Amino acid sequence: MKKHSILLTALAFILGLSAANSAQAEGTGAGASKAAASATGSSHTQAVYTAALPLLTDSGKLPQAVRYINSNIYAVTPYQATVLVLKLENVHKAGLKVWESKFNNSAVQRRLGSLYTAGASMAKLAESTDDSSLRTLLQGAGESGYKLETAEGTFFPVIDYAAYRKYKLYVTSDIRDYITIMAAESALPSSKDNGLVIGWSEVAARALSQEQFVRTHPKSNRIAAVKQLYTMYETDTFYGQNNTPLFHYDSLEMDLEAQKAYSSILSKNTGSSPFLDKLEGFMKLLKENGFKLDDAVESYRKAEVPVS
């Protein structure tokens, strides 16, 4: 019995060692497989990113660049996705003059006059014409990432930032917010023909959004662009535009809709904001004088929101 017990103990010990060695071997194999998969994934990510870069050096390659990024942006890192999207925007800006010159043709302008429908995509407009050269122009501009806009009777291409919204899932937080701001501009520009085409509340809301971006992302690659936008909207908030003045030219009374909009914004937004502080001081001064433009109000806005 004693010998039998010793044999059983020895056998259990040997089996234990065997199981441990087997488990260790399996663990090593799993770790190696995981490391290999990680290396493969990293290699694929880099390959996708590297392949995109040559497409973003020339505006003539925009259709290919847009298609490639749309299909592959999910496969790269947030940093790489951000670089690709910013490069794409740079190429869009660089190529805009070329496309503007193509549209700035009297024959093209005349044909677009009978074809244009507000909000229609370049592709949709291309489908609705029998003119092959115009169809090719519209298709090319659309595939390159532009949309058609009009002002003062002239038609011209602009960057279609609404198409950038699909990239928000993949880029860094500052560029995600930047795309939101620019898509709003693209979907509904604030002004046309020297007049506002959005309400006073939207003017102030956009200024607030841009101010928030500047305060939240002070080191963003697109900080300068958003600051420029903010300056424009801040000026529009306190002055309006030539064809949509904040104060009526004849009576010097504040626009009633602006008065309601600004009062509502101040009642709903109680957080810290230099823009809101300026607006609150402005409205307080106006309330004291019956919401009319006088020397005190003029001095206030010139001091707080100077214009060149």
Side-chain angles (χ1 to χ4, degrees), residues 114-133:
S114 59
L115 185 71
Y116 180 76
T117 302
S121 66
M122 291 282 196
K124 199 72 176 174
L125 292 171
E127 290 174 5
S128 60
T129 180
D130 295 328
D131 188 316
S132 59
S133 61

Side-chain angles (χ1 to χ4, degrees), residues 175-191:
I175 302 307
R176 191 181 311 131
D177 291 345
Y178 174 71
I179 290 172
T180 298
I181 288 171
M182 297 307 295
E185 291 296 304
S186 176
L188 184 58
S190 64
S191 62

